[in-house]
Amino acid sequence: MKAQPPASHFIDGEYVEDIAGAAFDSIYPATGEVIARLHAATPAIVEKAIAAAKRAQGEWAALSPTARGRILKRAADIMRERNRELSELETLDTGKPIQETIVADPTSGADAFEFFGGVAAAALNGDYIPLGGDFAYTKRVPLGVCVGIGAWNYPQQIACWKGAPALISGNAMVFKPSENTPLGALKIAEILHEAGLPKGLYNVIQGDRTTGPLLVNHKDVAKVSLTGSVETGRKVAGAAASSLKHVTMELGGKSPLIVFEDADIESAIGGAMLGNFYSTGQVCSNGTRVFVHRKIKQQFLARLKERTEKIVIGDPMIEETQLGPMVSRAQLDKVFAYIEKGKAEGATLVTGGGIPNNVPAEGTYIQPTVFADVTDDMTICREEIFGPVMCVLDFDNEDEVIARANGTEFGLSAGVFTADLTRGHRVADRLEAGTLWINTYNLAPVEVPFGGSKQSGFGRENSLAALNHYTELKSVYVAMGPVQSPY
Ligand code: NAD
């Protein structure tokens, strides 16, 4: 098999197998071919991983942040050296075109190791608090064993975005990738150890929705960071609450992207396409509700259709391919069901909606799809589809569009395209979302906090803000004189 790893799990610095765990296949979505066969973690594997993490964490936390950072930076260098190999693996895992993975996946993971490795020496300092003779100081201390649970759209990036801040802060991690994309995180674990990470600090175990709770409910786990759907987020946050664990929730969205009549239309169309078709639409922050000012609607739709129909669909391993398959047949079926619903509820199908020509029948391909005349109450406008389906809505004025953009339970991201500088900031200020873009869409560099509000989650990944979610403050009061006691 094309991508068979030495074993299913990576624990305590080595590959580990336990064939008592339920067997599952890793499928290359472009061809339907089985590329690896793995086993889900048994309770014994879960115990082994958490015990290894717990054992290793204390010594790791005692190192200086600079010493920890050196290892992460080395891992970043190795990832960049092996970018092609890692990108091909990511393409096999997800079906995303190599044109994307080569610039967006391992490289973004490497950015996280480089950034956190570099900033830690200064960013993990505490404060000195003068108290008039007495004083206090604060220390930023690690939480202990942190669990990361990943979605299937950015397997390597998610493994690194959670691993880097956890490790630099002095924690150990047990990471469970999505059962749809089990391969990338194992390589990240391998590379971290090659870079010098002591064994036990970054462990990867496989499994699905039945394995996750074993981690979330474990008494030795201090924190859970989930990237997944809102539904899973509710379950994981609920389970974590029963033992008062720290949680970070990176969940779904139905984000608005607003195009005003003065926007650079070509640029706005480019942003809308990026924010709907990149990674075959499987991006949490996608701007799937595209509000276009009525004055420019016809012009916008005509060019959007023309540009969408030129998208190159096909073999993800060919550099020219711009759109690969969906990650799985289940996800493909879900997206087609939404397309049918869109038609039934009266939206106008501008382009797409079917299976592209000249793709393997076993591949899970779909045409990039645009609906126009979408209204706020339609199912396709309210629910996260997680596929390449763009909904275009009309609007007439700023107050109206802001109210409609905010009329959702989600609050992950939002975008605005306008030539008016003050309007750009004013609208960004009023949109309810954790991450906003003005005159671009979906850029998420490691320097900038990323995360959601409302039902899209809480906590932030990337940037110095992420360190707050992997550490807690210890305050130490120091008396400089005798105790003034009334007794
Ligand atoms: P999912 O919620 O089905 O699964 C996510 C992960 O949670 C998987 O590893 C799964 O095995 C695990 N899981 C499922 N039930 C669990 C439980 N009860 N306890 C513990 N773990 C459990 O999501 P998905 O289909 O893999 O990914 C798509 C979703 O992820 C979309 O909603 C998307 O918006 C979201 N997402 C969010 C972000 C973000 O940063 N905000 C990024 C990527 C994806």
Side-chain angles (χ1 to χ4, degrees):
M1 272 177 272
K2 252 188 193 153
Q4 183 69 40
S8 301
H9 320 289
F10 192 97
I11 300 174
D12 216 4
E14 58 186 26
Y15 276 99
V16 176
E17 193 56 275
D18 180 354
I19 56 163
F24 67 99
D25 290 334
S26 170
I27 290 167
Y28 181 39
T31 59
E33 192 186 342
V34 173
I35 53 169
R37 184 154 295 156
L38 298 118
H39 294 269
T42 54
I45 285 287
V46 172
E47 284 305 323
K48 194 177 166 76
I50 292 176
K54 194 178 170 191
R55 212 169 35 242
Q57 191 258 329
E59 257 182 61
W60 176 244
L63 292 180
S64 71
T66 304
R68 293 198 293 264
R70 201 173 297 132
I71 293 170
L72 296 200
K73 285 191 279 179
R74 212 176 290 140
D77 290 342
I78 299 174
M79 286 185 73
R80 287 194 212 289
E81 279 158 26
R82 297 206 198 138
N83 187 36
R84 158 73 46 184
E85 176 203 328
L86 288 167
S87 301
E88 284 175 3
L89 181 68
E90 185 81 346
T91 290
L92 288 171
D93 229 1
T94 60
K96 294 194 291 183
I98 193 81
Q99 188 192 90
E100 281 187 24
T101 53
I102 207 110
V103 295
D105 292 272
T107 49
S108 142
D111 283 353
F113 286 134
E114 191 171 8
F115 174 82
F116 287 106
V119 299
L124 289 167
N125 290 346
D127 287 324
Y128 168 84
I129 303 159
L131 297 168
D134 290 359
F135 65 94
Y137 60 91
T138 60
K139 291 178 73 161
R140 215 158 249 297
V141 296
L143 303 175
V145 177
C146 299
V147 160
I149 300 179
W152 39 255
N153 55 345
Y154 282 83
Q156 291 182 30
Q157 181 188 85
I158 294 171
C160 297
W161 279 19
K162 297 191 190 306
L167 289 172
I168 200 64
S169 304
N171 302 287
M173 173 150 275
V174 178
F175 185 81
K176 189 200 82 60
S178 162
E179 57 276 29
N180 285 315
T181 52
L183 305 175
L186 291 169
K187 273 282 163 209
I188 303 300
E190 247 185 64
I191 287 172
L192 277 166
H193 288 82
E194 194 179 324
L197 187 73
K199 58 187 193 169
L201 289 166
Y202 190 89
N203 309 281
V204 175
I205 66 161
Q206 305 296 343
D208 60 11
R209 58 191 58 241
T210 58
T211 318
L214 300 177
L215 294 168
V216 177
N217 293 321
H218 200 286
K219 67 174 175 34
D220 291 335
V221 169
K223 187 225 161 81
V224 181
S225 175
L226 169 78
T227 297
S229 62
V230 173
E231 192 193 340
T232 304
R234 290 198 183 106
K235 289 185 196 146
V236 171
S242 66
S243 49
L244 292 178
K245 291 180 170 68
H246 297 253
V247 280
T248 297
M249 291 285 150
E250 294 293 346
L251 308 176
K254 191 75 197 178
S255 301
L257 191 163
I258 304 173
V259 184
F260 283 96
E261 67 277 23
D262 61 351
D264 173 337
I265 294 197
E266 281 302 308
S267 183
I269 291 170
M273 290 173 74
L274 265 177
N276 277 274
F277 303 145
Y278 208 67
S279 297
T280 321
Q282 303 161 113
V283 181
C284 53
S285 49
N286 270 355
T288 46
R289 291 182 297 141
V290 180
F291 291 89
V292 179
H293 195 280
R294 207 178 298 274
K295 272 193 196 149
I296 55 167
K297 172 184 174 180
Q298 291 315 332
Q299 193 188 350
F300 185 94
L301 284 175
R303 271 298 283 156
L304 173 63
K305 176 173 157 63
E306 199 179 316
R307 287 176 63 177
T308 300
E309 288 172 357
K310 283 196 187 134
I311 289 177
V312 181
I313 309 170
D315 180 348
M317 286 295 177
I318 295 176
E319 301 283 341
E320 290 70 31
T321 297
Q322 296 171 319
L323 195 91
M326 307 278 330
V327 76
S328 66
R329 188 144 305 271
Q331 188 61 21
L332 181 75
D333 291 346
K334 191 177 144 194
V335 176
F336 275 131
Y338 273 114
I339 290 173
E340 287 313 310
K341 209 159 232 174
K343 289 187 212 162
E345 289 182 5
T348 308
L349 184 64
V350 175
T351 184
I355 297 171
N357 296 326
N358 305 322
V359 292
E362 301 74 22
T364 43
Y365 285 92
I366 182 168
Q367 289 173 322
T369 300
V370 177
F371 278 111
D373 305 313
V374 176
T375 54
D376 299 339
D377 56 339
M378 287 181 186
T379 310
I380 53 169
C381 187
R382 285 186 289 106
E383 297 181 11
E384 185 184 43
I385 299 174
F386 223 56
V389 181
M390 187 193 304
C391 293
V392 179
L393 302 95
D394 316 327
F395 77 94
D396 295 296
N397 73 63
E398 190 178 311
D399 282 340
E400 167 220 333
V401 77
I402 289 170
R404 290 169 61 201
N406 287 338
T408 166
E409 60 170 352
F410 299 110
L412 187 56
S413 314
V416 48
F417 279 82
T418 177
D420 179 339
L421 187 68
T422 54
R423 173 156 63 188
H425 291 286
R426 188 170 64 234
V427 172
D429 196 46
R430 293 178 66 195
L431 289 171
E432 296 164 359
T435 308
L436 296 109
W437 291 279
I438 300 176
N439 289 335
T440 187
Y441 206 81
N442 258 356
L443 300 178
V446 68
E447 296 86 348
V448 183
F450 181 83
S453 62
K454 293 159 84 176
Q455 297 291 297
S456 294
F458 38 81
R460 292 291 177 267
E461 296 198 303
N462 288 342
S463 79
L464 297 183
L467 299 175
N468 295 333
H469 301 293
Y470 285 97
T471 55
E472 58 193 1
L473 282 180
K474 187 178 256 190
S475 304
V476 181
Y477 188 111
V478 183
M480 297 300 284
V483 170
Q484 303 287 320
S485 169
Y487 310 112

